[in-house]
Amino acid sequence: MRAFSHSKIAVNTGGLAESISYLATNETPQILIVETDATGDDLYQALEGLAEVCSPDSKVILIGPENDIDLYRQLLGMGLSEYFTSNITAQQMAETIEGMFTEADATQLGRVIAFVGARGGVGSSTMAANTAYVLSKQQDDNVILIDMDLAFGTAALSFNLQQKQSLVDALAQPGRLDDVLMARFMLKYDDHLSVVPSPANLGGNYSIDLEPLEVLMKLVRQMSPYVVLDLPHQWTPWVSEVMADVNELVITAYPDLISLRETKNLYDAIAHPRGDSAPTRLVLNRVGLAKKVELTAKDFEGALSAAPDAIIPFDPANFGTALNNGQMIIQTAKNCKASQQIGRLATLVAGKKNKKGKGAKKSAFSFLKSTG
Ligand SMILES: Nc1ncnc2c1ncn2[C@@H]1O[C@H](COP(=O)(O)OP(=O)(O)OP(=O)(O)O)[C@@H](O)[C@H]1O
Ligand SMILES: [Mg+2]
């Protein structure tokens, strides 16, 4: 199961008796799932034996034959984490395990919102930067925008920030990375918004490895309640991993047939790994540029079974002014339709209970979810 792709799993046969003898000589795992057919005194005796060899920190899930609420209460009273009968489904088990680890973590870790274009040049980076800015204002809280388009990123430029270092430098030293060092790679835009820029020039043939990215993501989620990722329009292993596991994924598309096909492909590819509880949002951008030949929001809704979450008009004057000023559109044209739509999108991706990561998806990939 994908959710546990970063976990080490060992399966032994032999029930409670075998667990006890195994744990007598081996380290206790974080989670122990034991299936037994023992009942009554035999069960209690075996559990006492287990308690002697099992570390108190580990979580024990028991699967037994009896469907009895009193027994259930007694077992939880003895310190078991959960008790199920053998008709538990794999999905229920996965959710139980995820719940055990995310309850504590989700309140501390930032919500990750990733932006990707259905095709190149559709305005995805513009949406990422504007949403990050508006989010910080709406929530009056910290947002870190990370420009992951290593070759052609524009985040620093769009906020008119001077950069020396970049995401590449931060990823180069995962062993040393802590919040103090990480802060050196972040450009402060104002009290709440910081930007981790991509390299300012084409320079090296950069790529992103999952392991240092995992370290960095865990850190930034501890540093800020919101992390916005500007992803490149690529389908590489790390991009698809990130897309699968972020709390919110926002796809920006231009209202034409190619964008529709690419959006549908993306939806189909990520629907399963993202699961039902993780929203994928759609932004239609530059709407009205070619009115007569454009597809409509309804066309997208028909193909994707979901209506666009924001419809941004083609507005070269306002976007152009903002770009030239090194500002966001809400700063230069607060009341235009694009600003309003971006405001709506920011509220949406913040989640319902949008303080400090509450309501965050129980995401699967460890670096986006747990403290490991
Ligand atoms: N609704 C809009 N109306 C007019 N111009 C827009 C609009 N949205 C974005 N732009 C402009 O389009 C240009 C490209 O936008 P942006 O860099 O955000 O696209 P992208 O999808 O990130 O491209 P890439 O694939 O290169 O990463 C920018 O100059 C931006 O100001
Ligand atoms: Mg971009």
Side-chain angles (χ1 to χ4, degrees):
M1 186 169 277
R2 179 190 169 76
F4 306 111
S5 60
H6 284 245
S7 309
K8 283 192 195 127
I9 299 173
V11 181
N12 295 348
T13 52
L16 269 169
E18 171 58 26
S19 305
I20 295 166
S21 63
Y22 178 85
L23 293 178
T25 50
N26 288 281
E27 220 177 297
T28 326
Q30 272 184 301
I31 304 179
L32 177 70
I33 304 172
V34 198
E35 188 165 8
T36 183
D37 51 15
T39 57
D41 285 346
D42 288 349
L43 176 63
Y44 293 123
Q45 263 173 21
L47 287 174
E48 274 165 25
L50 184 67
E52 281 168 25
V53 291
C54 189
S55 145
D57 296 335
S58 87
K59 298 177 195 298
V60 180
I61 301 174
L62 187 69
I63 303 174
E66 288 178 290
N67 188 358
D68 175 346
I69 189 77
D70 290 333
L71 171 71
Y72 176 76
R73 289 212 182 99
Q74 266 174 327
L75 292 175
L76 294 199
M78 288 173 74
L80 286 187
S81 296
E82 262 304 346
Y83 175 79
F84 292 107
T85 55
S86 53
N87 55 7
I88 181 176
T89 64
Q91 184 65 25
Q92 284 167 325
M93 183 60 88
E95 283 170 12
T96 301
I97 295 170
E98 282 201 314
M100 285 174 176
F101 287 89
T102 47
E103 269 166 31
D105 297 336
T107 53
Q108 294 150 16
L109 291 177
R111 184 172 179 81
V112 185
I113 304 149
F115 286 76
V116 70
R119 36 189 309 210
V122 289
S124 176
S125 298
T126 308
M127 293 308 130
N130 278 276
T131 308
Y133 178 75
V134 175
L135 190 60
S136 73
K137 294 290 164 205
Q138 281 182 352
Q139 303 298 321
D140 195 22
D141 217 334
N142 291 346
V143 176
I144 300 175
L145 169 64
I146 305 182
D147 190 344
M148 296 188 146
D149 189 347
L150 298 186
F152 300 110
T154 50
L157 196 62
S158 61
F159 286 99
N160 195 21
L161 291 164
Q162 301 300 319
Q163 70 177 94
K164 289 201 183 89
Q165 291 178 302
S166 74
L167 177 62
V168 171
D169 303 296
L171 291 171
Q173 29 198 324
R176 289 184 54 219
L177 209 57
D178 59 13
D179 51 350
V180 178
L181 184 58
M182 190 64 216
R184 284 197 227 153
F185 300 113
M186 296 175 8
L187 305 170
K188 211 166 166 44
Y189 179 69
D190 61 18
D191 278 354
H192 284 324
L193 182 68
S194 302
V195 178
V196 181
S198 61
N201 47 48
L202 276 172
N205 199 3
Y206 306 119
S207 68
I208 290 184
D209 292 328
L210 280 171
E211 272 182 38
L213 182 59
E214 180 168 348
V215 173
L216 183 137
M217 287 305 302
K218 191 165 141 186
L219 191 58
V220 289
R221 292 189 73 193
Q222 285 162 359
M223 294 170 76
S224 172
Y226 299 99
V227 178
V228 173
L229 308 180
D230 181 356
L231 295 175
H233 174 74
Q234 288 172 5
W235 187 251
T236 53
W238 76 265
V239 173
S240 52
E241 278 288 343
V242 170
M243 279 195 221
D245 292 302
V246 287
N247 299 111
E248 294 268 348
L249 179 67
V250 182
I251 300 175
T252 299
Y254 176 70
D256 69 1
L257 201 58
I258 297 177
S259 265
L260 177 58
R261 192 197 66 182
E262 299 301 323
T263 307
K264 175 93 175 85
N265 284 344
L266 269 178
Y267 264 67
D268 289 346
I270 58 173
H272 179 65
R274 280 183 68 65
D276 293 338
S277 57
T280 298
R281 317 285 184 185
L282 174 65
V283 175
L284 280 190
N285 190 26
R286 295 165 168 260
V287 173
L289 173 62
K291 279 193 184 108
K292 286 191 183 147
V293 292
E294 263 172 26
L295 299 183
T296 63
K298 278 257 170 299
D299 294 325
F300 276 78
E301 189 175 349
L304 305 169
S305 306
D309 296 284
I311 296 178
I312 317 273
F314 178 60
D315 187 350
N318 282 325
F319 278 104
T321 306
L323 190 64
N324 289 343
N325 291 356
Q327 287 183 306
M328 295 299 104
I329 191 165
I330 198 169
Q331 294 168 288
T332 54
K334 193 173 159 209
N335 296 319
C336 72
K337 184 165 180 215
S339 292
Q340 288 167 7
Q341 288 285 303
I342 290 166
R344 193 176 163 270
L345 181 67
T347 310
L348 210 57
V349 296
K352 276 187 206 130
K353 298 174 203 156
N354 46 24
K355 281 280 178 190
K356 292 270 174 195
K358 277 185 193 162
K361 181 207 166 195
K362 293 170 186 174
S363 99
F365 191 37
S366 60
F367 75 76
L368 297 171
K369 175 182 97 177
S370 69
T371 53

